[in-house]
Amino acid sequence: MAKELKRTPLFEEHRRLDGKLVPFAGYEMPVQYPSGILAEHQAVRERAGVFDVSHMGELEVRGGDALGFVQYITTNDASRLEVGQAQYSAFCGHDGAMLDDCIVYRFEDHYMLVVNASNVDKDRDWISQHTGRFDTQVIDRSEETGLIALQGPRSQAILARLSDADLENIRYYHFIEGTVADVPAVISRTGYTGEDGFELYLPADRTAHVWQQILEAGGRDAILPAGLGARDSLRLEMGYALYGNDIDERRTPLEAGLGWVTKLDKREFIGRDAIVKQKESGIRERLVGFICQERGFPRHGYAVQIDGEVVGEVTSGIVSPMLQQGIGMAYVPAETARPGTRIDIMVRDKAIPAEIVRPPFYKGGTVRK
Amino acid sequence: MSDVPADLLYSEEHEYLKKTETADVYQVGITDYAQGELGDVVYVELPSAGETYTRGAVFGTVEAVKAVSDLYCPISGEIVEVNASLGDDPGKVNSDPYGAGWMVKIRISDETERDTLLGPDEYTKHIG
């Protein structure tokens, strides 16, 4: 029998909004609402959209060696974080393969690792195995934490109606602790859409209240609730990788184009030796972005060909709502990974010509840099 | 609830057949239920006028954000007209599946095949 699907604190809200619920990462999640994926996508690019991302996992790391431990289990350099700052990072196995990607938040007296829903159990078990020589504790806060992403150029104006926090001065990948609609919240200027916006970490039992208040406060901006479908098309237009599609345990951060969050010069971390070795011996395949030159809808699993020969596979693809062209990501041999290289995407036996490009595909995003 | 107009015939594959002003010519498209299941349609690939199809043959594809789906001819006949406007505005399949979102008009070759299609009550049960 199938495992029972979990529900986020916003499940009843999705029902009330007539969201189309599908199984995702062990949760029953809305893939879209009645307005549809394209309208939700458009709302986020032009105005604002609000997403339930409560299925994401939150792992708290405490203790005297919390920093040393985070440094040991993640690839980026957490020692560079100031209190109130976050960074994109990853966990690797000893062989350098990526177990997950994550965001590391530095609080006054602890760190928070935000991980993919499908990997919460795996990540928690993995990192708990390595606490041994560190004075540290790992606490899984996933169940008690709700997470709402408010994204789009109107996000700050909408949130300001519900919060006294000094939103204007929260820089990109920074956060503060404040209140939203009288609920204590971690207000983080982060997101997965390429637009300005916030992610709000909330007590699970108050998350529905904040959700309702955001929809109401955003009414005059024509805010829309947005589902996983729009989340996927928005992130793909930015070329953001999705764990399980574009990155997984068969790939190292170097192959996935995440060398920038893999700080080989910091002290020892799990996977470092293997990644150093791969860097020296050369990378065989690389994750690249591509844009179709003719009408075609590239999808996960479609073959990539050069001169009639299969050289790789599409990991994510879509017809970009903003560009009205097929875009996607694929692993190709490193020697063909240069922007400008011509490839063919095999869309149901038809070769659709495409060109390798450097993401983002959509360049008009309002995300603060 | 999906809209299932009373005056149409339906296939199990979610295409509908609608009478036109010409006696043996019918308009074909996908049902409101089908467009709802597919989500936003981004491309529609249709045949050319003059081609003939037998019942159940694939006569085109619909590419939606979530999935691609083949179009199955609900009845045998010759394509006499194609809704070319879907090339520029495929969203009409979602917004008006029984009207502006129609796909082809077909001159049917065997009247009796109509009897094998589903009526509105049967189709409602089929999607229920």
Side-chain angles (χ1 to χ4, degrees):
Chain A
M1 229 181 84
K3 221 172 99 187
E4 186 116 347
L5 290 171
K6 293 200 273 189
R7 292 172 174 182
T8 75
L10 295 174
F11 179 78
E12 289 303 328
E13 304 303 312
H14 304 320
R15 269 210 175 146
R16 209 185 327 248
L17 292 162
D18 205 12
K20 185 177 284 185
L21 296 160
V22 299
F24 180 81
Y27 283 82
E28 225 172 327
M29 296 296 290
V31 65
Q32 65 169 84
Y33 300 88
S35 42
I37 294 172
L38 294 176
E40 293 165 20
H41 184 110
Q42 210 81 23
V44 172
R45 288 270 178 257
E46 292 170 0
R47 308 181 308 275
V50 63
F51 301 82
D52 177 15
V53 271
S54 301
H55 57 310
M56 303 285 286
E58 293 83 14
L59 303 174
E60 199 172 283
V61 179
R62 292 189 168 271
D65 290 340
L67 173 60
F69 182 63
V70 170
Q71 288 287 67
Y72 180 62
I73 57 168
T74 63
T75 60
N76 206 340
D77 186 357
S79 73
R80 298 186 191 179
L81 288 174
E82 52 190 80
V83 173
Q85 192 179 6
Q87 73 181 182
Y88 184 53
S89 190
F91 306 118
C92 287
H94 292 287
D95 57 357
M98 290 183 71
L99 301 176
D100 203 357
D101 59 350
C102 65
I103 298 180
V104 179
Y105 286 78
R106 183 181 171 193
F107 289 78
E108 190 83 48
D109 61 349
H110 69 277
Y111 289 82
M112 176 171 76
L113 311 176
V114 179
V115 304
N116 282 295
S118 52
N119 292 334
V120 178
D121 294 343
K122 177 181 85 173
D123 292 347
R124 187 194 49 232
D125 294 348
W126 168 256
I127 68 178
S128 297
Q129 273 174 39
H130 295 92
T131 51
R133 61 190 170 91
F134 297 92
D135 167 24
T136 189
Q137 304 87 45
V138 178
I139 308 154
D140 186 348
R141 301 282 188 201
S142 305
E143 293 295 318
E144 64 210 70
T145 307
L147 179 54
I148 293 173
L150 171 60
Q151 300 280 296
R154 298 295 298 156
S155 295
Q156 184 174 315
I158 293 166
L159 199 56
R161 293 171 200 148
L162 300 171
S163 179
D164 294 333
D166 183 12
L167 302 174
E168 177 57 32
N169 286 314
I170 307 176
R171 286 174 289 149
Y172 189 49
Y173 267 80
H174 285 72
F175 66 95
I176 59 165
E177 294 173 83
T179 61
V180 176
D182 299 320
V183 176
V186 172
I187 305 170
S188 170
R189 192 163 226 129
T190 45
Y192 198 45
T193 63
E195 300 301 329
D196 188 23
F198 299 89
E199 292 178 303
L200 309 171
Y201 296 85
L202 301 153
D205 59 350
R206 309 289 304 278
T207 304
H209 171 71
V210 174
W211 172 270
Q212 291 161 1
Q213 292 293 307
I214 289 173
L215 282 174
E216 197 178 312
R220 70 181 101 139
D221 301 283
I223 192 174
L224 285 182
L228 294 174
R231 186 168 160 81
D232 193 53
S233 55
L234 288 158
R235 69 95 191 168
L236 198 42
E237 280 187 338
M238 299 308 292
Y240 297 155
L242 171 64
Y243 194 88
N245 275 37
D246 313 304
I247 45 180
D248 57 36
E249 290 184 20
R250 295 170 305 169
R251 301 293 178 182
T252 70
L254 299 183
E255 291 166 329
L258 298 179
W260 61 282
V261 295
T262 307
K263 302 290 160 48
L264 297 172
D265 54 350
K266 73 169 184 173
R267 282 185 308 168
E268 183 201 0
F269 64 90
I270 301 176
R272 180 179 180 274
D273 295 348
I275 296 168
V276 167
K277 201 173 283 175
Q278 188 187 43
K279 190 168 187 178
E280 286 165 357
S281 64
I283 299 157
R284 291 194 7 244
E285 288 189 305
R286 236 177 227 290
L287 184 66
V288 295
F290 64 82
I291 184 158
C292 294
Q293 310 292 319
E294 287 174 19
R295 219 178 81 146
F297 198 130
R299 294 183 193 273
H300 178 85
Y302 286 3
V304 176
Q305 292 192 348
I306 295 181
D307 296 331
E309 215 151 302
V310 176
V311 297
E313 196 176 288
V314 174
T315 55
S316 288
I318 195 152
V319 174
S320 158
M322 301 308 284
L323 307 180
Q324 295 290 319
Q325 273 175 294
I327 60 169
M329 294 199 266
Y331 280 96
V332 299
E335 64 272 17
T336 63
R338 255 189 338 278
T341 305
R342 303 279 170 170
I343 58 175
D344 288 319
I345 310 297
M346 300 309 293
V347 178
R348 294 189 308 286
D349 301 331
K350 201 172 145 196
I352 303 291
E355 185 184 333
I356 291 176
V357 297
R358 196 183 297 281
F361 301 101
Y362 173 66
K363 301 187 189 330
T366 54
V367 65
R368 298 196 176 185
K369 294 283 160 56
Chain B
M1 266 306 280
S2 301
D3 182 21
V4 181
D7 57 339
L8 308 185
L9 291 172
Y10 301 89
S11 71
E12 289 183 2
E13 291 81 23
H14 311 289
E15 284 82 20
Y16 69 83
L17 207 63
K18 183 181 183 178
K19 283 185 180 160
T20 66
E21 284 155 13
T22 314
D24 57 346
V25 173
Y26 288 80
Q27 174 183 315
V28 173
I30 63 168
T31 65
D32 185 42
Y33 171 81
Q35 71 76 21
E37 287 296 298
L38 279 170
D40 291 313
V41 172
V42 292
Y43 294 139
V44 184
E45 226 159 293
L46 295 175
S48 308
E51 293 179 12
T52 60
Y53 290 87
T54 54
R55 192 181 163 194
V58 173
F59 73 94
T61 53
V62 180
E63 291 262 12
V65 175
K66 281 177 287 176
V68 57
S69 182
D70 285 326
L71 294 166
Y72 297 96
C73 204
I75 197 156
S76 306
E78 180 192 349
I79 307 291
V80 294
E81 198 181 335
V82 174
N83 187 357
S85 74
L86 295 183
D88 290 331
D89 190 4
K92 288 195 283 199
V93 174
N94 295 112
S95 58
D96 191 10
Y98 301 116
W102 67 278
M103 290 172 176
V104 297
K105 289 181 181 166
I106 187 164
R107 173 166 287 122
I108 64 175
S109 51
D110 181 359
E111 279 284 335
T112 62
E113 273 187 2
R114 279 191 325 167
D115 303 337
T116 62
L117 292 167
L118 307 176
D121 292 344
E122 289 169 295
Y123 183 68
T124 303
K125 234 176 267 169
H126 178 62
I127 61 177

